[in-house]
Amino acid sequence: MRTLYLECNMGAAGDMLMAALIELLPTVSERNQFIERLNSLGIPGVSVSTSPSEKCGVTGTHVSVTVNGVSEEEHGQYPDHRHSGHSHHHHGAGIKEIEHLISEHLCLSDKVRKDAMAVYQILAEAESLVHNEPVDQIHFSEVGTMDAAADIIGVCMLMEVLAPGQIVVSPVHVGCGQVRCAHGILPVPAPATALILRNVPIYGGKISGELCTPTGAALLRHFATRFGDMPVMNVSAIGYGMGTKDFESANCLRAFYGDSAETSDRKSV
């Protein structure tokens, strides 16, 4: 069975996951064509680019998403990994606006539309519980929404291209300490991330900072067939999706792609 194993020893963010999956595409030409296709969708104000990145001597790919020429780090909302930019304040786009954008304005396959909306539903339901507001009242900041849209749609498109028969995800390193967000200083994992990762094996460790973002958590939650150890597999490709910050450990999400005799007919989460 075609198997994708995601090693989340340094957590998961949407951009890191997309970068790791891009590296699994067989040729540089196919990787460039994917970025061109993603940019041609017309996600409002969004421009996606890739660049080589080195962490602790390991080289991989870094994905940069800007909205109207500004990255979310520059926007100043979330100084660690890119966060989903969620806010329950009444500005920006709500879940209905996101659904309209994905369903009516972007040229996507039915599978990608379905997967993207399922990820957004996971995010909205977690934010709804955190803020004690109905799902349809949850709104996202403008920069964060389009930034997360690029990550989510990009990952969904890549999953369709790679078409793994099963996706196994390692226990997720969430980091520790505190993170500054739109509402103030929150504990790590952020409340929405913690809710999304219920019944998923997670751990904290000694690295201070937000290693797993709500967007990363929602993508893992939606796509994972199961969480656990790497299965026995013949690996044909390995992808390294690099984060922005520097730590003692290489800040990357690693993806192994290949064949496994193991089969899985149901999700464990």
Side-chain angles (χ1 to χ4, degrees):
M1 170 179 280
R2 185 61 48 151
T3 297
L4 174 65
Y5 179 72
L6 301 175
E7 182 186 80
C8 301
N9 293 345
M10 292 297 289
D15 57 336
M16 294 170 69
L17 181 53
M18 177 159 54
L21 297 180
I22 286 171
E23 286 213 335
L24 298 180
L25 298 176
T27 66
V28 173
S29 175
E30 288 176 84
R31 298 171 191 178
N32 292 337
Q33 287 173 10
F34 170 78
I35 294 297
E36 290 173 6
R37 181 184 169 203
L38 184 57
N39 282 323
S40 71
L41 291 176
I43 303 172
V46 164
S47 177
V48 181
S49 62
T50 61
S51 59
S53 175
E54 182 180 307
K55 301 291 182 184
C56 298
V58 177
T59 301
T61 294
H62 175 70
V63 165
S64 177
V65 180
T66 60
V67 181
N68 297 320
V70 179
S71 69
E72 192 162 7
E73 292 92 342
E74 293 170 330
H75 194 257
Q77 292 189 71
Y78 303 101
D80 290 337
H81 289 300
R82 243 187 355 261
H83 192 286
S84 55
H86 296 174
S87 172
H88 68 297
H89 299 308
H90 298 280
H91 59 81
I95 191 71
K96 291 297 184 184
E97 288 83 0
I98 294 296
E99 184 176 15
H100 183 72
L101 171 68
I102 290 173
S103 299
E104 304 295 334
H105 289 278
L106 303 181
C107 184
L108 302 169
S109 71
D110 289 342
K111 175 174 170 43
V112 170
R113 286 194 180 99
K114 181 179 178 181
D115 284 336
M117 283 311 306
V119 173
Y120 264 109
Q121 192 65 32
I122 292 170
L123 288 166
E125 288 176 358
E127 293 289 340
S128 173
L129 288 171
V130 168
H131 301 299
N132 194 30
E133 292 204 12
V135 169
D136 61 3
Q137 296 299 310
I138 298 298
H139 283 65
F140 311 118
S141 69
E142 181 180 0
V143 172
T145 298
M146 293 305 105
D147 182 284
D151 289 343
I152 291 168
I153 292 168
V155 169
C156 292
M157 290 168 62
L158 285 160
M159 288 294 191
E160 182 179 46
V161 171
L162 294 168
Q166 67 170 349
I167 300 170
V168 183
V169 180
S170 75
V172 182
H173 190 176
V174 296
C176 66
Q178 298 175 320
V179 61
R180 182 179 298 276
C181 74
H183 304 293
I185 297 175
L186 298 177
V188 172
T193 303
L195 280 171
I196 293 168
L197 294 178
R198 284 177 299 182
N199 300 315
V200 169
I202 63 174
Y203 62 99
K206 298 180 180 179
I207 296 176
S208 180
E210 182 188 39
L211 298 184
C212 187
T213 69
T215 300
L219 286 163
L220 295 179
R221 185 87 203 205
H222 173 65
F223 281 109
T225 305
R226 66 175 176 85
F227 291 81
D229 295 332
M230 184 179 188
V232 176
M233 57 189 294
N234 292 321
V235 176
S236 57
I238 304 171
Y240 289 81
M242 313 308 265
T244 301
K245 295 187 73 175
D246 292 316
F247 299 104
E248 289 185 6
S249 299
N251 186 15
C252 65
L253 186 153
R254 188 159 58 161
F256 295 85
Y257 187 61
D259 292 308
S260 171
E262 182 178 331
T263 62
S264 180
D265 297 324
R266 63 181 180 84
K267 288 201 171 190
S268 61
V269 294

